[in-house]
Amino acid sequence: MMRKNDNYLPVPGEEKNLDVNFVNTNARSSESVPMKSLYADDGSPLCPRLGPYFSDGHRRVDYVLAYHIQKPSSIRRQSSRFGENNFIRRLRRSLSMRSSRAPLQPKEDPEIAAQEQRADYHEDDKRFRREEFEENLLEMGLELEKDEGSKIPGIGFLKIHAPWNVLCREAEFMKLKMPTKKVYDVKQGSNVVEKIRLFIHKVTAPLHPKVDANRPQSVKSLSHAFSREKQHLFDLSDRDKFFDSKTRSSIVYEVLKRTRCTRAKYSMGITSLLANGVYSAAYPLHDGDIEGANAEPNDRKLLYEEWASYSVFYKYQPIGLIRKYFGEKVGLYFAWLGVYTQMLIPAAIVGVIVFLYGCATVDDNIPSMEICDPRNNITMCPLCDRACSYWKLVTACGTARASHLFDNPATVFFSIFMALWAVLFMEHWKRRQMRLNYVWDLTGFGEEEEDHNRAEYEFRVMQKTMRQENSTPKSEKVKLTCTDRLPAYLTTVVMMGFMITVTFAIVFGVILYRISIKAALHMSTYPAARSNIRATVKTTAAIINLIIIIILDEIYASIARWLTTLEVPKTDKSFEERLIFKTFILKFVNAFTPIVYLAFFRGRLVGRPGNYLYVVGSYRMEECAHAGCLMELCIQLCITMLGKQLIQNNLFEIGIPKLKKLLRRRKSELDSKQEEELNKTLQRHEKDHILGPFVGLSPEYMEMIIQFGMVTLFVASFPLAPLFALLNNIIEIRLDAKKFVMELRRPIAAKAKDIGIWYNLLRGLSKVAVIVNAFVISFTSDFIPRLVYQYMYSHDGTMHGFVNHTLSYFNVSDFQPGTDPLQPMHLGYKVQICRYKDYREPPWSSTPYDLSKEFWAILAARLAFVIVFQNVVMLMSDFVDWLIPDIPKDISLQMHKEKILMVELFMKEEQGKRLAARDNQNQDNCTSPSSANQSLPQPRSRPVSHANCS
């Protein structure tokens, strides 16, 4: 083990022109490492293993810190002429990942977490800070090795290895659960359940990845918090494999966070040093290469073959191996994504059936047949002032037929089905989560978990302490109060309100665009422009909304993170939850405001002919088509959902990295063979430094939460949404897998027993979805007016005459001056009476144009439907929630069995200790008499018996 006065061992440089410094931890010492220790007998440099090891090829690199180094100017000029160095610089720049597409998660990667308070420090000051920090790491028992002769110019690396005694000490301190020697049989349930499970497993065998960690285990090791006093309970036959690479890196990261740098009182660990630029990056290493003939078998390569390949899209994910390599938090995300995608299959099938039902019954739909029948000869009032003229209802035939595909009786059934589906999904995930907690030994995790303070919080506390040095007693602990954060809270409220107002204003701007472009197209002299005005306006407006949503998503992510930073949360968990909440609010409002307008406001704030509602002067509010706004809502949902998935997921995550790679190859002075040869000579820590930093799981979760809202909130208007979500997620799983395995540095393994605040957001969305779908069915679609007409006003109990019933009469002489059509003879005859969709009294009535009694009857029916639908579905959902237990019965029994076995194990241990103590005492009694007789007189009344000592 290296101590404070020991030497660092730098990796020998590959080229003579690269400086190789043998750096001593004590600058005043003149000792150096003997050259023969780094070179062979013939003088050639020793070639260390290219894997994650020290230069001796035995000690594993558990963590790497990178920092900027300044070389002499002559060497910098000399090294700048090498084409491969230029290539490496461009390679690193081109492979850097986007980090602005969503809010960052500071707990996941200290390099990302630290960027919020970066400052420029003098290079000497940074070097002194590094030296002090590294001395403190040595005192903590870690072993260090420097590499300042790497092929990445201007970057030095500090490789960190945790020896066995440090791993044991920290594992005990962190209360890490480790498998003991004790194993027991795992029973999945009753005999019938077990047979069904085995049958299903055999049937689905081709769908399971060829990974041992993913296979069901018949036996399980009993796990217990690691203790150095109870090492005999654990299987320590192979110490190198007892703590896997994920656990080793997380242990070292805890040491780094806890180690203080006293030159700056507020620096608590690696996060603050990264923030100040003392170190430029910090990351654990990947296990090895995934491509190439010489790539040794490792978990990363296995993940690439069985998970991160599009050719295995139909297989289950190797969740056990994902957890083993990336940690519980990443494993839970992919497990949740897998359950969500799996549950989308029945929803997609039912949605397609509902859509096909609409296609099959469109020719039998009486209202659309009446609209398409030219014999009705219904003349409609103009859709805009002056520029628009009278039009025939038969021209809306296509829209009416298309609306029936999504507005039919099956839609109500599908809305109820999706509400219950959301509850079943949440229950299924809770049970799956509990099963994973049991398998991964997380059942007791989180009860005594403590979180470190963030570096910025410590800095602010230090500033407050210095200000209050004289006024505050030394015994009183200084902390940030609500009063200290009040300006930040006010800024957050004002900025959030302002951003939401901006979103509303942009949506209103798109409304004005639709109104003005419709009038412009009506005035156009080109027949092609006038042929399909409605479709043109709908589609272009939806595309504009999509582009605005994508742009504002990026802006809102940065604003949410800035606001959260202003609030100075105390811990990483608090920072993450506040950031997620702000980002969700802004992105949810951004994505759903245009949809909410189309669903609930468009066509209801219009007025009537002769008394229309105007905004911004002469802009008349737009009306719905005769078949309702449901078709336009469907178009907006379809374009927004597909556009976000296609552009944000595929273009941003696939296209941009490939474009950067193409540009890098065009600019590079090396061909593909030279590039491949150079990549082979890089050490593992150099290859990982080129990869992009891990920015957390928030972007991935946020993307799926917004999609879940699209699937559930307005599913009554778009039954194909689950199908599109399913197809996207099948690609998304493999895309994320490829990104985690190939393009990102390995994240710090973080433990978690659930998905945190995301579950609460999902549950809230599923509750809101019931209310939203109730209003969509009753107010946006024509389902309720059709029911009311059929059972109250129809003469024969059919839908014949429904279209005429929904149209009111208007006398064209009642137009306001300047609003009548410029071309009143557009249809070839003079129009006296035109029709418009509303329930109002005719002009010859005693109360012309007042709302009719049919309007109030339908309104009462709409409100009654909302109340009944909401309560019935909520009651059914709660019943399903109550019916399905959160913890599977077999898991509950196994957890109880584990507790009993653990008690038995400790009872046996205590019994063994007592027997051992008794044997030692007897042995002492057997050997003590001879010596005792020489020194002490034996009492006569109690002679020592030797009969039992033979």
Side-chain angles (χ1 to χ4, degrees), residues 298-530:
N298 56 74
D299 288 341
R300 187 188 184 198
K301 185 176 181 182
L302 189 58
L303 282 171
Y304 174 73
E305 294 170 350
E306 295 295 331
W307 180 48
S309 174
Y310 291 112
S311 60
V312 294
F313 73 92
Y314 59 92
K315 289 188 176 183
Y316 292 108
Q317 299 181 86
I319 297 299
L321 186 60
I322 297 170
R323 172 254 180 177
K324 178 186 174 185
Y325 191 78
F326 292 110
E328 284 78 7
K329 200 164 191 176
V330 175
L332 278 175
Y333 163 71
F334 283 103
W336 173 83
L337 184 57
V339 170
Y340 173 46
T341 304
Q342 194 176 0
M343 288 293 291
L344 280 172
I345 296 175
I349 292 173
V350 176
V352 170
I353 292 173
V354 169
F355 178 75
L356 293 177
Y357 170 80
C359 295
T361 58
V362 66
D363 291 330
D364 301 327
N365 183 41
I366 296 175
S368 59
M369 290 170 60
E370 289 184 346
I371 292 175
C372 296
D373 190 355
R375 294 175 295 178
N376 289 330
N377 196 28
I378 299 175
T379 303
M380 303 296 292
C381 296
L383 296 174
C384 62
D385 293 342
R386 304 297 285 171
C388 305
S389 187
Y390 306 105
W391 56 285
K392 291 289 188 180
L393 182 60
V394 70
T395 58
C397 175
T399 305
R401 290 173 63 86
S403 295
H404 178 73
L405 302 179
F406 306 100
D407 186 6
N408 54 69
T411 304
V412 181
F413 158 76
F414 190 53
S415 299
I416 299 173
F417 170 81
M418 286 303 293
L420 297 177
W421 172 88
V423 177
L424 288 172
F425 163 57
M426 303 299 289
E427 291 300 313
H428 181 32
W429 167 244
K430 279 196 290 187
R431 291 169 64 84
R432 172 70 168 153
Q433 188 172 258
M434 284 304 302
R435 192 174 294 277
L436 291 176
N437 283 342
Y438 162 72
V439 174
W440 295 349
D441 297 315
L442 295 172
T443 49
F445 173 75
E447 296 172 1
E448 299 179 0
E449 197 70 12
E450 70 174 283
D451 207 352
H452 293 282
N453 292 346
R454 297 177 63 248
E456 189 181 9
Y457 179 84
E458 294 284 335
F459 177 65
R460 290 287 296 274
V461 168
M462 184 201 71
Q463 288 182 326
K464 184 177 179 181
T465 305
M466 293 175 66
R467 288 196 305 266
Q468 299 179 353
E469 238 172 12
N470 300 326
S471 59
T472 307
K474 291 185 178 180
S475 59
E476 186 177 341
K477 188 176 180 180
V478 179
K479 61 181 180 180
L480 296 184
T481 62
C482 290
T483 307
D484 299 323
R485 294 189 175 101
L486 186 60
Y489 290 154
L490 292 176
T491 304
T492 298
V493 171
V494 172
M495 284 298 296
M496 292 280 286
F498 175 72
M499 289 296 103
I500 293 173
T501 305
V502 167
T503 303
F504 291 162
I506 291 174
V507 171
F508 184 70
V510 176
I511 295 171
L512 296 183
Y513 160 81
R514 273 201 292 257
I515 296 170
S516 57
I517 201 70
K518 184 186 294 183
L521 290 175
H522 274 289
M523 296 173 64
S524 175
T525 57
Y526 294 100
R530 297 171 60 93

Side-chain angles (χ1 to χ4, degrees), residues 790-815:
Q790 187 172 0
Y791 292 106
M792 288 184 64
Y793 299 104
S794 176
H795 299 292
D796 52 2
T798 65
M799 294 302 296
H800 288 288
F802 172 73
V803 173
N804 186 65
H805 181 260
T806 60
L807 297 177
S808 299
Y809 295 88
F810 178 73
N811 193 331
V812 298
S813 61
D814 294 333
F815 272 122

Side-chain angles (χ1 to χ4, degrees), residues 545-614:
N545 272 322
L546 170 65
I547 295 171
I548 292 171
I549 287 170
I550 292 174
I551 294 173
L552 288 182
D553 268 356
E554 306 297 324
I555 297 173
Y556 287 168
S558 302
I559 290 175
R561 190 166 191 275
W562 172 66
L563 292 174
T564 309
T565 305
L566 285 181
E567 295 176 4
V568 198
K570 184 176 181 179
T571 62
D572 288 335
K573 183 179 180 181
S574 175
F575 185 98
E576 179 186 346
E577 289 182 350
R578 295 185 188 200
L579 179 61
I580 289 170
F581 181 73
K582 292 183 186 67
T583 311
F584 173 75
I585 293 294
L586 291 175
K587 289 198 171 188
F588 184 84
V589 171
N590 181 39
F592 287 97
T593 299
I595 299 171
V596 169
Y597 164 74
L598 286 174
F600 303 125
F601 295 99
R602 184 176 176 182
R604 286 166 181 79
L605 305 173
V606 177
R608 59 169 180 81
N611 188 24
Y612 282 114
L613 176 65
Y614 294 89

Side-chain angles (χ1 to χ4, degrees), residues 199-350:
F199 174 75
I200 294 175
H201 191 268
K202 286 181 180 179
V203 171
T204 60
L207 302 179
H208 290 276
K210 300 175 182 178
V211 176
D212 292 335
N214 210 56
R215 293 172 184 168
Q217 298 177 348
S218 57
V219 294
K220 183 178 183 294
S221 296
L222 197 63
S223 295
H224 185 260
F226 185 81
S227 171
R228 286 174 290 182
E229 295 180 355
K230 296 181 173 62
Q231 287 193 29
H232 59 279
L233 296 178
F234 305 93
D235 184 11
L236 303 180
S237 57
D238 189 353
R239 292 188 172 186
D240 292 336
K241 294 183 179 179
F242 183 72
F243 295 107
D244 57 15
S245 59
K246 163 184 69 71
T247 307
R248 296 175 68 99
S249 63
S250 62
I251 288 175
V252 173
Y253 179 55
E254 285 297 318
V255 176
L256 292 175
K257 285 199 300 183
R258 211 170 58 244
T259 304
R260 278 186 186 275
C261 184
T262 55
R263 291 185 191 273
K265 294 181 181 178
Y266 68 90
S267 295
M268 187 155 183
I270 188 61
T271 306
S272 51
L273 294 176
L274 285 160
N276 297 331
V278 178
Y279 292 102
S280 60
Y283 51 92
L285 295 183
H286 281 291
D287 276 358
D289 292 322
I290 54 178
E291 295 175 329
N294 298 326
E296 297 180 0
N298 56 74
D299 288 341
R300 187 188 184 198
K301 185 176 181 182
L302 189 58
L303 282 171
Y304 174 73
E305 294 170 350
E306 295 295 331
W307 180 48
S309 174
Y310 291 112
S311 60
V312 294
F313 73 92
Y314 59 92
K315 289 188 176 183
Y316 292 108
Q317 299 181 86
I319 297 299
L321 186 60
I322 297 170
R323 172 254 180 177
K324 178 186 174 185
Y325 191 78
F326 292 110
E328 284 78 7
K329 200 164 191 176
V330 175
L332 278 175
Y333 163 71
F334 283 103
W336 173 83
L337 184 57
V339 170
Y340 173 46
T341 304
Q342 194 176 0
M343 288 293 291
L344 280 172
I345 296 175
I349 292 173
V350 176

Side-chain angles (χ1 to χ4, degrees), residues 43-248:
S44 59
L46 290 172
C47 296
R49 295 167 66 180
L50 291 179
Y53 298 95
F54 273 23
S55 56
D56 58 13
H58 299 291
R59 289 177 294 173
R60 184 182 181 89
V61 179
D62 298 317
Y63 215 85
V64 172
L65 303 181
Y67 54 91
H68 294 288
I69 55 176
Q70 282 189 331
K71 294 184 179 181
S73 58
S74 59
I75 293 183
R76 285 202 300 270
R77 287 194 298 270
Q78 190 176 1
S79 63
S80 66
R81 294 198 299 267
F82 286 88
E84 63 181 37
N85 284 346
N86 290 332
F87 162 73
I88 288 291
R89 193 180 294 111
R90 286 194 296 269
L91 179 65
R92 183 175 182 275
R93 189 184 304 118
S94 65
L95 289 180
S96 61
M97 296 296 292
R98 292 174 60 252
S99 62
S100 61
R101 60 181 285 246
L104 304 182
Q105 191 169 336
K107 188 174 182 179
E108 300 303 329
D109 193 301
E111 179 186 357
I112 295 298
Q115 290 176 355
E116 61 204 34
Q117 53 164 342
R118 187 171 297 277
D120 291 331
Y121 281 78
H122 194 271
E123 288 300 321
D124 289 340
D125 185 56
K126 292 179 182 179
R127 182 165 52 83
F128 292 145
R129 286 170 179 267
R130 282 198 298 269
E131 289 177 358
E132 182 195 2
F133 185 69
E134 289 158 14
E135 287 176 3
N136 294 337
L137 291 180
L138 288 171
E139 290 177 357
M140 294 292 291
L142 297 178
E143 298 179 4
L144 311 178
E145 180 181 86
K146 276 192 175 181
D147 177 12
E148 293 189 349
S150 69
K151 293 192 175 183
I152 301 180
I155 299 293
F157 296 95
L158 179 70
K159 294 180 280 187
I160 303 174
H161 168 76
W164 173 254
N165 61 332
V166 174
L167 292 173
C168 293
R169 181 191 72 207
E170 296 298 323
E172 183 175 356
F173 178 75
M174 296 167 63
K175 298 182 176 63
L176 291 182
K177 272 192 170 184
M178 303 301 295
T180 63
K181 297 177 183 178
K182 176 72 175 178
V183 295
Y184 65 95
D185 294 331
V186 177
K187 294 183 179 180
Q188 299 293 333
S190 62
N191 293 332
V192 178
V193 174
E194 181 72 12
K195 289 179 180 179
I196 295 174
R197 187 189 65 82
L198 290 175
F199 174 75
I200 294 175
H201 191 268
K202 286 181 180 179
V203 171
T204 60
L207 302 179
H208 290 276
K210 300 175 182 178
V211 176
D212 292 335
N214 210 56
R215 293 172 184 168
Q217 298 177 348
S218 57
V219 294
K220 183 178 183 294
S221 296
L222 197 63
S223 295
H224 185 260
F226 185 81
S227 171
R228 286 174 290 182
E229 295 180 355
K230 296 181 173 62
Q231 287 193 29
H232 59 279
L233 296 178
F234 305 93
D235 184 11
L236 303 180
S237 57
D238 189 353
R239 292 188 172 186
D240 292 336
K241 294 183 179 179
F242 183 72
F243 295 107
D244 57 15
S245 59
K246 163 184 69 71
T247 307
R248 296 175 68 99

